[in-house]
Amino acid sequence: MHLLSVAELVDVENHAWEEIRELLSQGPRTYRLEAAEPEAAALTLVRLQVSTRSYLGAIAYEAGGIIFEHGWITLLGAGAEGVCGSLASWNGLGDAADTVPLPGVLVVAYDAAGGFFGLDTGRFGQSGNIYYYAPDAREWETTELTYSGFIGWLAEGDLDLFYETFRWEGWEEETQKLAPDQVFGYYPPLWTEEGSGCASSKAPVSILEAWRAARSAGAE
């Protein structure tokens, strides 16, 4: 199989990156862009085999990752110091696997509650849609958003409503204390009747522990 080169995948005239930057800057959400190393960016784009005409390709090539809402959501890119892994390592592309990927799902983001956002590439029957592994339901649910729609939601969507039962007073400060490879473990867990952002105690746990639960739910 012939892999397209970086030169073939970088569309200088129709690069989506400026459109993405404008979208993020106009939205009300706080975010921090982690820069990508040029070599890692090029390698990630080639492994994905997507053009920078697309939002996915542009982010893979231009960003190490984008961190929203004080660290509550991390959007994966080519990898950076403040981000756990990359689009390549999370999805077993090339020799960059840090986790056991979920076939048919391209993980594109994770959150501090142990939730994951994945692009359906054949597992759930709605290819091209973003699915969310909801730690309160312990299952993958469709967001009915494309990847570009998901980026728009991160910039302008009602994240407070989406995460209403996961958060608590003071979550911003606590979230900023997490390491890039940590998420919150809730006790009682979010999926129990007693569990919630307000009622449960929270402590940092490995993101890999959260991913094992998400992967198991997706593999059923």
Side-chain angles (χ1 to χ4, degrees), residues 180-198:
D181 62 350
Q182 291 178 329
V183 298
F184 289 112
Y186 293 73
Y187 187 79
L190 288 171
W191 48 266
T192 64
E193 189 175 336
E194 301 82 9
S196 72
C198 292

Side-chain angles (χ1 to χ4, degrees), residues 163-171 186-188 190 194-202:
Y163 286 113
E164 186 176 23
T165 59
F166 294 4
R167 289 174 171 174
W168 61 96
E169 188 174 347
W171 66 267
Y186 293 73
Y187 187 79
L190 288 171
E194 301 82 9
S196 72
C198 292
S200 299
S201 62
K202 277 79 61 179

Side-chain angles (χ1 to χ4, degrees), residues 96-151:
D98 290 335
T99 60
V100 179
L102 178 59
V105 175
L106 186 80
V107 176
V108 297
Y110 58 86
D111 65 36
F116 294 86
F117 295 91
L119 182 66
D120 181 18
T121 60
R123 174 155 293 273
F124 301 119
Q126 289 191 345
S127 288
N129 276 18
I130 295 290
Y131 275 70
Y132 177 64
Y133 171 72
D136 58 339
R138 292 194 292 178
E139 61 185 31
W140 290 83
E141 304 169 342
T142 182
T143 65
E144 299 184 350
L145 297 171
T146 62
Y147 183 83
S148 59
F150 174 59
I151 302 304

